[in-house]
């Protein structure tokens, strides 16, 4: 797999990021280096090995089904870059 | 710089001899911070008024003969990715510069309950991504032992603050060595606990199956005392083990003979500085002379550690960092015109270069068509590595390794991202397999910088790990 500026554009959109042309050149270069580096993993035989997904043996960790108020609306809105008294304010979605 | 040296010594002066007040202790730390922080840049913010008020409350409790917590008089700095209610927490990122936390991390709550004094928040690599503190949006932290060198990272501010006596202990987070590597570079002790021992509630997430909060301190004993307070089940972190937390300080002097495994590939690695290698070999000889058994074991997969780590952590990071959307909290770009550009511009202007690089790789390895080849493959390799390490620890008490391939490097020395990532070769293993590991000082290099060794144990065997490293550190000091 070779990363091109087209790949960077596609991945950047998925990640909701953008890069100017100069940054793009260096990110193409960095990602190719990083992929080349991680391609090394293909040397490890993992036939029949299940992926390790959970780092603890805990299963079905549940709490009693009781509603608890942990944050007030005011607290939840405290750090919103734009808000009114009750809502987060986002820009218009449909023009 | 006034050095109170250890929790036991501070508490002896404060509580037994009563020759110093808590306010005086805090004032001395504030004076040290004022003298050195403008150069070192470890603190992003100092909670001066509040720390002095807390100290007054503790002095009043002492005067009234009230029961005090186990961390009374202990001045603590917290890494800027651990939240404290009504205080800023920026993870050293532009995107969170003005973020004020609306809750406290469980570790912060527990430290405060035990009468610790939180004196400020400490610089780090942005979102804990880095090994030199050069990725902070708030400027470099300088190594207090040599200001031309990096303090390590990502908990660089935490290590520098302890080393420069700007706090007695600090909290950091460790995803691939971010507590142990800066502890090594600054000549102090750093502990990464077993995954699932310390609540991650209130730690700003980087890679959730790797992240753990832990202490940085002058001594192993102080790490044990802090771990005692922060460890254990918490309703806000479902990954925590429900087992009883043992007493970490009770058996620190227990002296039993141990089986210590050494991965041949770790000390024969071409990246290892020859002087660091000699220091390790000498240490192994000392341990053998003291009656411990050293077992050299094969571990051919050492060069797959860092690649596995980078696939998995960047994937988890790309998911965790999707929450920064410019809408709910954090930076919103003034250049956005609609919802889509609000996301794109806020994130692109708010995140630094290394964070964006990792989000990009993480998004790529999780994307359709590449998921199995990269992400699932790395998860399989992670299991292979865990099985191998578990097998070694089935017949050994500890694995001993260098903490870092070399001593603290100079600023700008690791310009290539891969060269920087390879600095983590000895530390990522503990996070990949979820085991506890501690870095302790091991002599001084001819370049004048401290060297460090690392010991890793079985899961939840911190009591044994702390006891053993306490003893070998005490030998160091004699």
């Amino acid at each position: 797999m070779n990363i091109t500026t087209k790949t960077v554009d596609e991945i950047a959109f998925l990640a909701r990021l953008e890069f100017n042309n100069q940054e793009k050149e260096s990110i193409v270069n960095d990602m190719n280096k990083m992929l080349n580096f991680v391609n090394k993993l293909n040397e490890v035989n993992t036939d029949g090995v299940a992926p390790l997904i959970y780092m603890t043996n805990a299963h079905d960790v549940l709490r009693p089904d009781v509603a608890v108020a942990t944050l007030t609306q005011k607290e939840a809105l405290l750090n919103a870059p734009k808000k009114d008294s009750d809502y987060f304010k986002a820009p218009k979605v449909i023009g | 710089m006034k050095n109170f040296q250890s929790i036991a010594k501070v508490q002896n002066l404060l509580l037994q001899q009563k020759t110093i007040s808590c306010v005086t202790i805090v004032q001395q730390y504030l004076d040290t911070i004022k003298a050195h922080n403008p150069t070192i840049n470890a603190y992003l913010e100092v909670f001066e008024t509040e720390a002095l008020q807390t100290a007054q409350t503790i002095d009043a409790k002492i005067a009234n003969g009230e029961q005090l917590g186990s961390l009374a008089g202990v001045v603590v700095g917290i890494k800027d990715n651990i939240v404290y209610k009504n205080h800023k927490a920026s993870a050293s990122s532009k995107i969170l510069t003005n973020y004020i936390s609306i809750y406290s991390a469980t570790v912060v709550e527990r430290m405060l309950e035990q009468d610790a004094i939180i004196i400020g928040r400490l610089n780090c690599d942005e979102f804990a991504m880095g090994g030199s503190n050069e990725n902070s949006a708030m400027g470099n932290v300088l190594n207090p032992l040599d200001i031309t060198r990096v303090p390590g990272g990502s908990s660089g501010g935490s290590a520098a603050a302890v080393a420069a006596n700007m706090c007695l202990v600090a909290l950091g987070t460790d995803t691939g060595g971010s507590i142990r590597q800066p502890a090594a570079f600054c000549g102090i002790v750093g502990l990464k606990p077993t995954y699932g021992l310390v609540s991650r509630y209130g730690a700003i997430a980087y890679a959730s199956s790797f992240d753990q909060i832990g202490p940085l301190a002058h001594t192993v004993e102080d790490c044990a005392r802090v771990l005692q307070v922060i460890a254990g089940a918490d309703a806000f972190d479902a990954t925590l083990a429900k087992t009883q937390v043992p007493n970490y300080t009770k058996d620190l002097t227990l002296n039993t003979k141990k089986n210590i495994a050494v991965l041949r590939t770790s000390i024969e690695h071409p990246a290892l500085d020859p002087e660091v290698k000699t220091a390790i070999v000498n240490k192994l000889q000392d341990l053998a002379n003291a009656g411990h058994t050293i077992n050299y074991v094969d571990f051919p997969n050492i060069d797959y550690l860092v690649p596995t780590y980078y696939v998995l952590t960047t994937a988890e990071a790309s998911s965790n960092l999707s929450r920064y959307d410019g809408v709910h909290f954090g930076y919103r770009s003034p250049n956005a015109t609609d919802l889509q550009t609000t996301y794109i511009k806020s994130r692109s202007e708010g995140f630094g270069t290394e964070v964006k690089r990792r989000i990009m790789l993480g998004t790529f390895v999780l994307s359709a068509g590449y998921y199995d080849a990269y992400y699932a493959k790395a998860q399989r390799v992670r299991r292979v590595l865990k099985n191998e390490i578990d097998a070694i620890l089935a017949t050994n008490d500890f694995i001993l390794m260098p903490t870092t391939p070399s001593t603290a490097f100079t600023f700008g020395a690791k310009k290539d991202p891969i060269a920087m990532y390879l600095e983590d070769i000895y530390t990522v293993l503990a996070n990949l397999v979820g085991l506890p590991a501690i870095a302790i000082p091991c002599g001084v290099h001819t370049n004048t910088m401290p060297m460090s060794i690392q010991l890793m144990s079985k899961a939840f065997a911190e009591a044994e790990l702390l006891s053993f490293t306490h003893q070998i550190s005490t030998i160091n000091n004699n």
Side-chain angles (χ1 to χ4, degrees):
Chain A
M1 177 65 202
N2 212 13
I3 301 279
T4 60
T5 50
K6 185 168 170 281
T7 338
V8 164
D9 287 339
E10 287 164 6
I11 298 297
F13 182 71
L14 288 175
R16 298 299 186 269
L17 290 172
E18 65 181 5
F19 299 95
N20 65 32
N21 285 339
Q22 199 192 336
E23 290 169 333
K24 220 177 275 182
E25 206 175 292
S26 85
I27 201 102
V28 166
N29 186 27
D30 288 346
M31 284 183 75
N32 274 317
K33 271 196 209 163
M34 287 158 92
L35 281 183
N36 189 35
F37 178 62
V38 302
N39 276 335
K40 210 176 159 46
L41 295 183
N42 292 322
E43 297 165 13
V44 185
N45 184 349
T46 54
D47 292 349
V49 178
L52 179 58
I53 299 170
Y54 302 109
M55 295 311 291
T56 64
N57 298 321
H59 289 292
D60 304 330
V61 180
L62 303 173
R63 61 163 176 81
D65 187 19
V66 179
V68 184
T70 50
L71 285 184
T72 63
Q73 189 176 38
K74 194 176 159 211
E75 285 171 323
L77 287 168
L78 181 74
N79 286 289
K82 283 192 181 163
K83 63 192 164 190
D84 64 15
S85 57
D86 294 321
Y87 301 104
F88 293 100
K89 283 175 83 172
K92 228 190 248 187
V93 180
I94 301 165
Chain B
M1 290 183 223
K2 174 78 182 168
N3 181 358
F4 286 102
Q5 294 175 318
S6 72
I7 296 176
K9 283 179 182 158
V10 167
Q11 292 186 337
N12 180 44
L13 296 175
L14 178 70
L15 305 172
Q16 274 85 48
Q17 298 191 29
K18 298 186 194 273
T19 49
I20 194 166
S21 71
C22 196
V23 168
T24 310
I25 293 170
V26 169
Q27 195 55 58
Q28 292 194 14
Y29 279 102
L30 290 170
D31 292 345
T32 309
I33 293 170
K34 273 178 199 144
H36 300 287
N37 199 56
T39 315
I40 304 296
N41 197 31
Y43 282 95
L44 298 177
E45 188 182 357
V46 179
F47 311 140
E48 178 169 351
T49 314
E50 194 184 331
L52 286 167
Q53 277 167 1
T54 312
Q56 277 172 3
T57 312
I58 292 166
D59 283 333
K61 280 191 190 176
I62 297 170
N64 296 335
E66 287 176 45
Q67 183 73 33
L68 284 148
S70 65
L71 297 177
V74 178
V75 172
V76 182
I78 55 172
K79 186 177 180 180
D80 195 36
N81 65 349
I82 299 173
V83 303
Y84 181 9
K85 189 171 182 174
N86 298 327
H87 294 75
K88 282 186 179 177
S90 77
S92 294
S93 179
K94 183 182 169 190
I95 212 161
L96 284 177
T97 302
N98 297 312
Y99 177 76
I100 295 167
S101 185
I102 51 180
Y103 68 106
S104 286
T106 299
V107 294
V108 167
E109 294 276 7
R110 289 184 180 171
M111 301 271 289
L112 291 173
E113 273 166 23
Q114 294 302 321
D115 291 319
I117 297 143
I118 297 180
I119 201 163
R121 55 192 179 94
L122 294 161
N123 204 341
C124 56
D125 283 298
E126 183 179 1
F127 287 105
M129 297 180 190
S132 66
N133 228 113
E134 292 169 291
N135 295 335
S136 169
M138 315 301 167
N140 290 343
V141 177
L142 311 192
N143 191 317
L145 304 175
D146 176 352
I147 59 168
T148 67
R149 293 175 190 268
V150 303
S154 66
S155 311
S158 301
V162 171
N165 299 308
M166 296 194 281
C167 58
L168 185 58
V169 297
L171 290 180
T173 60
D174 191 315
T175 304
S178 282
I179 288 174
R180 291 161 286 152
Q181 187 253 23
F185 280 11
C186 293
I188 61 166
V189 181
L191 171 71
K192 183 207 88 84
T194 307
Y195 186 83
L197 181 64
V198 176
S199 174
R200 288 176 294 113
Y201 181 68
I204 296 176
Y206 159 18
S208 304
S209 78
F210 292 76
D211 299 341
Q212 273 290 287
I213 295 173
L216 297 96
H218 292 290
T219 65
V220 173
E221 182 178 343
D222 282 1
C223 284
R225 286 172 184 249
V226 174
L227 184 66
Q228 196 71 57
V229 172
I230 62 176
D234 172 25
F236 295 107
D237 181 350
T239 59
L240 291 178
K242 298 285 186 291
T243 48
Q244 190 71 34
V245 174
N247 187 326
Y248 296 117
T249 50
K250 187 170 62 99
D251 295 331
L252 276 180
T253 51
L254 207 64
N255 189 359
T256 54
K257 300 305 167 206
K258 298 293 184 188
N259 285 307
I260 300 159
V262 177
L263 312 177
R264 277 196 193 90
T265 46
S266 74
I267 57 165
E268 283 161 12
H269 202 276
L272 184 61
D273 178 294
E275 263 191 64
V276 177
K277 180 176 176 175
T278 305
I280 304 267
V281 170
N282 291 342
K283 173 59 78 178
L284 290 167
Q285 192 55 53
D286 290 349
L287 292 171
N289 294 345
H292 303 290
T293 307
I294 312 294
N295 299 312
Y296 287 85
V297 298
D298 289 327
F299 185 66
N301 286 334
I302 193 160
D303 287 326
Y304 303 112
L305 298 176
V306 180
T308 310
Y309 172 82
Y310 274 92
V311 171
L312 296 174
T313 55
T314 56
E316 293 188 24
S318 74
S319 171
N320 271 324
L321 271 61
S322 65
R323 75 191 65 185
Y324 303 101
D325 61 359
V327 176
H328 296 89
F329 49 81
Y331 172 81
R332 178 185 291 198
S333 169
N335 306 317
T337 49
D338 56 12
L339 190 63
Q340 198 69 260
T341 55
T342 297
Y343 296 152
I344 293 173
K345 293 203 180 289
S346 301
R347 291 165 60 78
S348 300
E349 292 166 20
F351 290 135
T353 307
E354 180 61 23
V355 172
K356 284 189 270 197
R357 199 184 274 142
R358 295 197 196 190
I359 292 174
M360 288 292 286
L361 185 70
T363 306
F364 177 80
V365 299
L366 289 175
S367 64
Y370 302 103
Y371 181 95
D372 285 325
Y374 291 99
Y375 183 65
K377 177 74 185 181
Q379 286 182 316
R380 290 177 211 278
V381 178
R382 191 179 196 182
R383 185 179 296 279
V384 169
L385 297 169
K386 183 165 175 14
N387 291 346
E388 288 176 356
I389 295 300
D390 285 348
I392 293 168
L393 285 170
T395 51
N396 289 279
D397 299 295
F398 310 114
I399 296 173
L400 189 151
M401 281 194 288
T403 308
T404 56
S406 62
T407 56
F409 45 88
T410 52
F411 289 94
K414 311 274 173 190
K415 284 204 169 56
D416 177 58
I418 308 288
M420 183 69 93
Y421 298 168
L422 285 169
E423 283 296 307
D424 301 337
I425 183 159
Y426 298 121
T427 47
V428 294
L429 178 59
N431 307 79
L432 279 164
V433 299
L435 296 179
I438 188 167
I440 59 170
C442 180
V444 177
H445 195 278
T446 50
N447 67 15
T448 76
M449 297 309 286
M451 298 183 285
S452 173
I453 54 168
Q454 177 183 212
L455 282 106
M456 190 162 86
S457 74
K458 295 178 185 76
F460 303 106
E462 276 84 354
E464 246 184 297
L465 184 64
L466 289 162
S467 156
F468 184 73
T469 48
H470 172 73
Q471 287 165 52
I472 65 174
S473 310
T474 317
I475 296 168
N476 270 352
N477 296 339
N478 288 344

